[in-house]
Amino acid sequence: MSQALNKDAPLLSRNMLAVIVAQFFSAFGDNALLFATLALLKNQFYPDWSQPILQMLFVATYILLAPFVGQMADSFAKGRVMMFANSLKLLGALIICFGFNPFLGYTLVGIGAASYSPAKYGILTEITSGERLVKANGLMEGSTIAAILLGSVAGGILADWNLVAALVVCAMTYAMAVVANIFIPRLTAARPGQSWHFGAMLRSFIAATKLLWRNGETRFSLLGTSLFWGAGVTLRFLLVLWVPVALGISDNKTPTTLNAMVAIGIVIGAAAAAKLVTLQTVRRCMPAGVLIGVMVVVFALQTSLLNAYLVLMLIGALGGFFVVPLNALLQERGKASVGSGNAIAVQNLGENTAMLLMLGLYTVAIKLGAPAVVTGVGFGAIFAVAIAVLWWKARR
């Protein structure tokens, strides 16, 4: 039976912990599976340019399903939507485990992830509110980044040891996420009774997108987070090619540990944002966004592993400080206008469109033979300029 919760409960309530634990296992599986599948592609002699194609298929599911997953998150109990989505991820991981096409399996994981995202963020507005929402987002990001840290490293290390074992661990992790979702209370649906006709859903999503885009604060959040995640996913793949060129290391573990340094930094940045930024002072995060691009340029020029670790941790800290307040702002304003699930679905459309475009540019650069250093410097400079322009426009 559905129920309503007391949103004035302590931040670390039993309900919040259930959400955080479920998110940890789901995100752990996502990141471990990515690096295990990348290792599988290398093991089966797929070309280098196929690696970003794998991620592009994943990202495309977010874009194609954006008009529908937000309504799904708002029409049903969000905890049950999360459990359904994690079940799809489990099925996709099993497809890869049993030797079927990895692109097919990873696309199914993407469908699960696209369905999962509006529910996992939207549920935060149903179990907390006000200034605690920024802190709740900090907890969510902290759990996610801890999972990225451990999942990325585990995926790389296990793939070096035994590829089959790495894939099995990924499937088991998704199974644990499904179990954890059972302990999330069946909350009252936010907006039940909406039309499920394709045309009506598409028109509703377009109307929600227009409404959020016309509002200065939500437009500011949508653009900022889209730029951040577009650059972030490109940096992840850049590391895979940069490591052997700049450091002369060709294992699967080193790129994952470098990704882990970004994850550690994001935890630090998210904690700082929860302490220093409120919904009223959200523009304080913008200088950190500009500095992300600058530090990506600095990173691309490194030739020392120790320096690379330090620079990537700083990039992560700047990223956490930048993106957490923007997420909270969109959730708070979006819930009051179009529903939290729809707001996150619109955000996913923007973020994943940016990812797809940047991954496409990255794939073209690799196919044309552009050096990893040049590609990194170019993307870092573009990101810094884009955030600086957004900041300037927001202050006018």
Side-chain angles (χ1 to χ4, degrees):
M1 180 180 295
S2 298
Q3 57 179 285
L5 294 182
N6 176 17
K7 293 195 285 187
D8 294 324
L11 182 63
L12 288 175
S13 64
R14 178 173 173 268
N15 299 316
M16 179 66 75
L17 288 174
V19 171
I20 296 302
V21 170
Q23 166 61 8
F24 174 84
F25 283 125
S26 186
F28 183 102
D30 289 347
N31 288 275
L33 183 64
L34 172 62
F35 286 100
T37 307
L38 289 175
L40 178 66
L41 296 184
K42 289 171 61 178
N43 189 59
Q44 296 183 351
F45 302 105
Y46 282 85
D48 286 343
W49 56 263
S50 69
Q51 295 181 2
I53 294 295
L54 182 78
Q55 188 71 29
M56 288 171 73
L57 288 172
F58 184 92
V59 165
T61 62
Y62 276 83
I63 297 172
L64 294 174
L65 295 176
F68 316 110
V69 293
Q71 180 169 315
M72 184 172 71
D74 285 337
S75 297
F76 302 99
K78 290 183 173 61
R80 295 304 177 265
V81 174
M82 293 165 70
M83 184 166 63
F84 168 75
N86 278 324
S87 298
L88 288 179
K89 291 184 181 184
L90 173 59
L91 180 58
L94 289 173
I95 286 174
I96 300 174
C97 277
F98 284 103
F100 296 101
N101 190 298
F103 293 93
L104 172 63
Y106 204 67
T107 300
L108 187 57
V109 173
I111 293 173
S115 305
Y116 186 79
S117 183
K120 77 174 181 181
Y121 282 111
I123 200 172
L124 295 181
T125 64
E126 297 180 3
I127 58 179
T128 190
S129 61
E131 293 307 322
R132 281 196 300 276
L133 186 58
V134 177
K135 293 180 172 60
N137 270 272
L139 284 175
M140 178 69 81
E141 292 298 332
S143 172
T144 302
I145 299 310
I148 292 173
L149 169 63
L150 296 174
S152 298
V153 173
I157 292 175
L158 287 171
D160 279 336
W161 171 62
N162 187 297
L163 190 51
V164 174
L167 294 170
V168 169
V169 167
C170 295
M172 291 175 61
T173 304
Y174 285 134
M176 288 188 283
V178 172
V179 172
N181 285 136
I182 296 172
F183 294 93
I184 298 176
R186 188 189 292 271
L187 304 177
T188 303
R191 295 189 172 198
Q194 299 183 77
S195 171
W196 288 95
H197 292 292
F198 178 85
M201 293 176 71
L202 190 59
R203 287 191 295 272
S204 175
F205 180 76
I206 291 172
T209 303
K210 288 180 178 178
L211 187 60
L212 293 173
W213 189 256
R214 287 177 186 142
N215 181 279
E217 287 186 318
T218 51
R219 181 174 63 247
F220 170 70
S221 175
L222 289 169
L223 286 171
T225 56
S226 296
L227 288 168
F228 173 79
W229 288 112
V233 74
T234 308
L235 177 63
R236 169 174 281 189
F237 282 89
L238 179 65
L239 284 175
V240 175
L241 293 185
W242 177 86
V243 166
V245 173
L247 305 178
I249 300 171
S250 57
D251 61 14
N252 294 302
K253 181 178 70 174
T254 302
T256 62
T257 55
L258 287 167
N259 270 283
M261 300 310 294
V262 179
I264 292 171
I266 291 181
V267 172
I268 296 170
K275 291 280 187 182
L276 301 175
V277 182
T278 66
L279 294 177
Q280 287 70 42
T281 60
V282 73
R283 285 184 174 82
R284 288 179 182 176
C285 72
M286 294 307 291
V290 177
L291 288 174
I292 292 170
V294 174
M295 295 313 298
V296 169
V297 173
V298 172
F299 165 75
L301 301 174
Q302 301 305 307
T303 56
S304 161
L305 185 59
L306 177 59
N307 289 344
Y309 280 141
L310 294 175
V311 174
L312 285 172
M313 185 183 292
L314 179 57
I315 289 172
L318 293 168
F321 192 85
F322 176 69
V323 79
V324 165
L326 294 181
N327 279 339
L329 178 68
L330 182 66
Q331 291 162 21
E332 181 72 14
R333 302 296 187 263
K335 181 187 177 185
S337 56
V338 300
S340 57
N342 275 323
I344 301 304
V346 173
Q347 183 184 39
N348 284 340
L349 176 64
E351 290 176 358
N352 286 278
T353 300
M355 289 183 196
L356 195 62
L357 289 173
M358 292 191 185
L359 282 171
L361 290 173
Y362 174 79
T363 304
V364 170
I366 297 306
K367 289 204 73 173
L368 293 177
V373 171
V374 173
T375 305
V377 169
F379 273 97
I382 290 170
F383 182 82
V385 171
I387 296 297
V389 170
L390 177 61
W391 185 17
W392 175 70
K393 286 186 173 294
R395 295 181 65 178
R396 292 180 65 184

